[in-house]
Amino acid sequence: MGYPRGGVRRRDPERVNPPCALESTGKGSLDTPGGGLEFGEGAPEAAVREVLEETGYVVELDELLGVDSVHVRAEDRLNRSGRPLHALRIVYRAHPVSGELVHELDGSTDEAAWVRLEDVPNLRRVDLVDKALHLSYQSRAHALP
């Protein structure tokens, strides 16, 4: 299953763009906007849709940063399906073109917020946040000096 992520943008060194989302995992962990594909939906379209649903922003994708593969044991699944999960997490760089920051209603996100890059190391976060930032630093297109 593919899990397209809205990703990060580093043109503004003060914050992670688009906003990271605090997911309702019961742990209040920082995560990038994203989620599963709808049937017949492409990964880029899903990434744009997920960012809109979770943050209120319409984004334009700038580049594919990378693909991350993760295996989750059945007993570690949040939905308690009893089945293991192998997910491909597709990470894009994106920038907002319209909208305003809102909190997702009746979804998996507790809160959407801008997060300063310097604060990220001190926050509880899912592993994909670090991987996305690492991919962003490796990108030649928008790396900070």
Side-chain angles (χ1 to χ4, degrees):
M1 170 165 283
Y3 287 89
R5 309 307 292 193
V8 295
R9 182 176 173 123
R10 299 185 55 249
R11 281 194 181 155
D12 181 347
E14 298 299 315
R15 62 186 185 180
V16 176
N17 295 318
C20 288
L22 294 173
E23 298 288 340
S24 61
T25 61
K27 300 176 184 175
S29 298
L30 185 70
D31 197 354
T32 59
L37 296 167
E38 302 291 340
F39 183 78
E41 183 178 41
E45 294 80 18
V48 170
R49 176 184 52 78
E50 286 287 345
V51 172
L52 177 62
E53 289 175 2
E54 295 182 7
T55 70
Y57 284 109
V58 175
V59 296
E60 186 174 286
L61 301 181
D62 298 321
E63 70 176 304
L64 171 66
L65 291 176
V67 178
D68 179 65
S69 178
V70 64
H71 297 260
V72 181
R73 300 179 314 167
E75 57 270 21
D76 295 332
R77 295 278 310 266
L78 296 175
N79 68 2
R80 305 289 182 225
S81 68
R83 296 176 41 203
L85 171 70
H86 179 195
L88 296 177
R89 302 182 298 186
I90 306 163
V91 182
Y92 295 94
R93 182 186 313 278
H95 69 275
V97 293
S98 66
E100 62 181 60
L101 189 63
V102 296
H103 304 304
E104 182 179 29
L105 299 176
D106 300 322
S108 63
T109 304
D110 292 328
E111 177 184 359
W114 292 105
V115 177
R116 294 180 338 155
L117 284 173
E118 65 192 42
D119 295 337
V120 171
N122 299 318
L123 298 173
R124 182 181 306 154
R125 59 198 182 277
V126 300
D127 69 320
L128 186 58
V129 170
D130 293 332
K131 290 177 183 181
L133 286 171
H134 178 75
L135 289 168
S136 181
Y137 281 108
Q138 288 181 328
S139 169
R140 292 183 201 165
H142 296 90
L144 292 175

